[in-house]
Amino acid sequence: MTPSPAPSTQPILEGFRHALAAAEAFVGATAPNPPVGCTVLDADGGILATAAHQKAGTAHAEAAALALCRQARTFERIHTLLVTLEPCNHHGRTPPCVEAILASPARTIWIASRDPNPAVAGGGAARLAAQGRQVFDLAALGHSEAAELVRRADRLIAPFVCWSTRGRPWLTLKQALTHDGRMVPPAGAKTFTSAASLDLAHSLRRRADAIITGSGTVLADDPLFTVRRVADPRTGARRLAILDRRRRVSPDYLRAAPLRGLEASLHDSIPEALADLAATGVLEALVECGPSLLAAFLEADLWDEHVVIRQAAPAGRADHIDIHTRIPTPDPRSPDVFRNH
Ligand SMILES: NC(=O)c1ccc[n+]([C@@H]2O[C@H](COP(=O)([O-])OP(=O)(O)OC[C@H]3O[C@@H](n4cnc5c(N)ncnc54)[C@H](OP(=O)(O)O)[C@@H]3O)[C@@H](O)[C@H]2O)c1
């Protein structure tokens, strides 16, 4: 890595803010790829384009941003690329981004997060550097906002890191509690939390590729499990994995699921469900279940983010929300993961 950055700090921070916002808009829509954003700067630090990877099989963020420059006839002014994730150096469903960058006038490439895939970590940056491009880690700016932007970029790919290094989806447990600590709603009600908490619950659903629940919840609530309160960029179906050893969930419920954009499946154990979800490219699953299944996830220490929404007492005041996140740490078998961070 070349130690000192050439362009000034503020355009880099501003460009990364745009790139991260662009990528965050497609969280929940890109699996099995991670969300990625890219901003292109000219030599004066002016933003020429910002783009995000929107869906697997479509252009990666770097290629999309370069294409925007071509369309706007600013391609020859390209000087610096800011990418939230290290550009890929391998052929997947689309050509390697490194080649697209090398075919552009970009001289300098800034990277927020390194590629977590042990097979390719460092490969994209190394190839760019070997071809005479300057490559910098955003963290090397040594700036407090840069550190915060790197944290956002690392969080953005945390489900992808979890899936690619642990072989299971990132698990978010959502647990709503009444003011006296119960998970079961009062008779006749399906929920007891505030409108803001329901918005949060739907934003957690929106970012997940799958919902995991238990037969007890399906039988008690007949839940829709759709994203209704926030915009949802997802175009394909979301998985709905139901833990139901006794097969109590009705065929009618399962038949209606696809009409709501859900691909439902029944499972006999948590490990079996997680393996099945991971095999179909589910990067993140939201666990929305009752107390029995939730206890099993907690007992097995199977969670990456635990969101506890506690109803305020007296009702009507803002709920108390507690979010505990465990960002994946480097796997000892793959020491390249997140090096330099
Ligand atoms: N407050 C909240 O955040 C929240 C969220 C969702 C639901 N709820 C409420 O929770 C209530 C339902 O509670 P619940 O506990 O019956 O629902 P649940 O946890 O969603 O489902 C329990 C069922 O899951 C199956 N299961 C499969 N593997 C399991 C395992 N390893 N451990 C435990 N269960 C496993 C069991 O059925 P088999 O034995 O047939 O496999 C069990 O009866 C409803 O009133 C609902 O409104 C609350």
Side-chain angles (χ1 to χ4, degrees), residues 174-177 182-185 190 192 213-217 220-221 243-248 268-270 288-294 296:
K174 193 212 76 182
Q175 181 177 19
L177 295 170
R182 288 177 294 109
M183 279 185 73
V184 175
K190 282 191 188 181
F192 46 81
T213 193
S215 54
T217 295
D221 296 345
L243 277 291
D244 180 22
R245 291 168 293 209
R246 287 172 281 172
R247 298 297 186 262
R248 292 185 296 158
D268 292 326
S269 75
I270 295 174
E288 286 197 80
C289 62
S292 323
L293 188 55
L294 188 82

Side-chain angles (χ1 to χ4, degrees), residues 43-105:
D44 299 322
I47 293 180
L48 297 178
T50 296
H53 179 49
Q54 301 190 2
K55 185 183 174 185
T58 67
H60 287 190
E62 300 90 323
L66 293 172
L68 285 177
C69 293
R70 271 191 202 286
Q71 281 166 24
R73 300 184 190 284
T74 56
F75 194 77
E76 296 312 318
R77 288 170 48 204
I78 292 172
H79 180 278
T80 295
L81 251 67
L82 313 175
V83 283
T84 61
L85 177 64
E86 179 179 358
C88 65
N89 189 29
H90 57 282
H91 275 276
R93 289 161 77 177
T94 59
C97 290
V98 160
E99 297 310 318
I101 295 170
L102 290 173
S104 82

Side-chain angles (χ1 to χ4, degrees), residues 247-315:
R247 298 297 186 262
R248 292 185 296 158
V249 170
S250 75
D252 282 353
Y253 185 83
L254 298 174
R255 264 195 297 273
L259 306 176
R260 303 195 301 274
L262 294 166
E263 188 188 325
S265 51
L266 302 180
H267 300 273
D268 292 326
S269 75
I270 295 174
E272 180 253 308
L274 296 183
D276 183 57
L277 294 176
T280 57
V282 168
L283 301 185
E284 172 163 354
L286 175 64
V287 180
E288 286 197 80
C289 62
S292 323
L293 188 55
L294 188 82
F297 274 94
L298 290 170
E299 171 92 356
D301 200 29
L302 271 171
W303 61 274
D304 301 287
E305 193 155 271
H306 187 185
V307 179
V308 180
I309 303 167
R310 192 179 288 272
Q311 183 188 36

